[in-house]
Amino acid sequence: EQGADQLFGEPALALDDLMQTDGEGRGVINILAANQLMQSPRTYATLLLWLLSELFETLPEVGDADKPKLVFFFDEAHLLFEDMPSALEDKIEQVVRLIRSKGVGIYFVTQNPIDVPDRVLGQLGNRVQHALRSFTPRDEEAIKKSAETFRTNPDLDVATAITELGVGEALVSLLDDRGTPGVTGRALIVPPHSRIGPATAEERDAVIKSSLVAGHYEAASDRESAYEKLTTRATEAATAAKAAARIKEDEKVQAKREKELARSASHSRSSGSRGGRRSDSIGEAMAKSTARSIGSSLGRSIVRGVFGNLFRKKS
């Protein structure tokens, strides 16, 4: 309902395309234009879960690598966890915890740390906190909670320092060589060599066209899905079954018709035989009639009359 049919359409995203290097061996930054996707938080969260799950199932175990193969920065992280089903949150927490052994780093970027669920926040070892200002009780709660996520520094009041940080300054706590969060300290952040504001449409098109995968993901394809194949197979099987049933029914009708024709032919032969006995010659019919008449009184009188006349004439 939120557009996942397009997001997970064809051609599917190849994970290797996220881990490209240029001609000098430097990594490539891939930027997901999520200005529309961020309006569909569940689809956005599903994309996150799909990416991390695929990487976890595909990449080999590397342990404690010198540098990660891939690092994700999820901006506006509060949109990921807004109204998220508990089952999806459980899965994300599990994947975030295990994905580090695959050489993948995860960073959630948000204005308030309370936007990230506690169990997910607890799996994030590296923390960089810029200034927070306290204007409301909720702001004070966010500052206190943010301070509690950092390792304690006896020489630094973390909660107070968060409100005193200047522009370009942050509280930093990173994992050490043994995987233990380092002591929290104030640090200056080197600003990126960029400009404030989005790229123009022309600049964006130029970057896209110069990409190694330019033209690959622009043309959507609609391959025959497993559901469509199974539906076609079921339809063909049903059609074949109907055709076989029709043929079998036609054979029954034909056999019945042939049986009726054979019975009719036998009846005609029987009727023809009786008709032959009735169609004797005229002479035979008269002889049979005379023979039957001799036995009757009338027949005997006629015979005596005939023979009497003959005898008198002869005398």
Side-chain angles (χ1 to χ4, degrees):
E1 295 175 354
Q2 296 188 4
D5 56 335
Q6 299 179 10
L7 185 63
F8 295 101
E10 294 285 351
L13 176 62
L15 298 179
D16 289 340
D17 290 340
L18 297 176
M19 295 178 279
Q20 302 175 35
T21 55
D22 60 14
E24 300 179 6
R26 297 177 300 183
V28 174
I29 297 176
N30 297 276
I31 301 177
L32 173 64
N35 51 319
Q36 295 183 5
L37 181 61
M38 290 167 65
Q39 300 175 16
S40 306
R42 290 199 175 185
T43 302
Y44 192 19
T46 305
L47 170 65
L48 161 64
L49 179 60
W50 175 80
L51 279 174
L52 299 182
S53 298
E54 286 292 306
L55 287 168
F56 181 76
E57 295 175 4
T58 304
L59 297 178
E61 293 278 349
V62 295
D64 187 16
D66 293 336
K67 62 180 179 179
K69 295 181 179 179
L70 182 65
V71 178
F72 283 103
F73 292 88
F74 293 99
D75 198 7
E76 301 295 344
H78 66 281
L79 296 176
L80 290 172
F81 302 101
E82 183 178 346
D83 299 327
M84 177 181 291
S86 58
L88 183 58
E89 184 177 315
D90 293 340
K91 189 64 177 178
I92 289 179
E93 185 268 333
Q94 178 187 16
V95 173
V96 169
R97 182 177 69 252
L98 299 176
I99 197 70
R100 288 178 295 186
S101 63
K102 304 285 186 172
V104 177
I106 305 293
Y107 288 85
F108 293 105
V109 184
T110 182
Q111 294 182 0
N112 280 326
I114 60 175
D115 295 333
V116 181
D118 289 338
R119 50 184 173 174
V120 176
L121 193 63
Q123 302 302 325
L124 306 177
N126 298 326
R127 289 176 170 80
V128 178
Q129 176 66 58
H130 290 277
L132 289 176
R133 300 293 182 253
S134 176
F135 301 104
T136 65
R138 187 175 186 276
D139 294 337
E140 294 179 359
E141 180 184 354
I143 292 172
K144 180 180 178 181
K145 189 167 185 178
S146 177
E148 291 174 350
T149 63
F150 284 88
R151 181 178 174 180
T152 304
N153 185 347
D155 300 327
L156 180 67
D157 184 350
V158 176
T160 303
I162 290 177
T163 61
E164 297 175 348
L165 294 173
V167 176
E169 194 176 13
L171 293 178
V172 179
S173 176
L174 304 177
L175 297 178
D176 59 20
D177 294 339
R178 295 174 296 178
T180 304
V183 176
T184 305
R186 298 178 67 159
L188 292 173
I189 305 299
V190 178
H193 296 276
S194 182
R195 70 167 188 263
I196 297 178
T200 64
E202 292 75 14
E203 291 173 329
R204 181 172 172 176
D205 289 341
V207 172
I208 292 176
K209 291 178 181 178
S210 63
S211 171
L212 297 176
V213 294
H216 177 67
Y217 293 104
E218 283 77 1
S221 62
D222 185 12
R223 294 191 300 171
E224 188 178 16
S225 65
Y227 172 78
E228 292 171 331
K229 291 181 179 180
L230 292 174
T231 301
T232 302
R233 190 180 304 171
T235 303
E236 292 175 350
T239 303
K242 288 181 180 180
R246 192 180 303 114
I247 293 174
K248 190 173 182 179
E249 185 65 25
D250 291 344
E251 290 177 349
K252 288 183 179 179
V253 172
Q254 183 65 23
K256 185 177 180 181
R257 187 177 301 166
E258 291 176 356
K259 186 181 294 185
E260 291 177 353
L261 290 174
R263 187 182 304 158
S264 176
S266 176
H267 179 72
S268 298
R269 288 193 298 271
S270 176
S271 299
S273 175
R274 289 192 298 271
R277 289 193 295 270
R278 287 196 299 269
S279 59
D280 293 335
S281 64
I282 297 177
E284 292 175 348
M286 291 180 64
K288 291 179 180 180
S289 178
T290 301
R292 286 194 295 271
S293 299
I294 292 176
S296 63
S297 58
L298 179 58
R300 288 192 297 272
S301 299
I302 293 175
V303 171
R304 285 197 299 269
V306 172
F307 284 102
N309 291 333
L310 289 177
F311 291 142
R312 284 195 295 272
K313 288 181 180 179
K314 184 176 183 182
S315 303

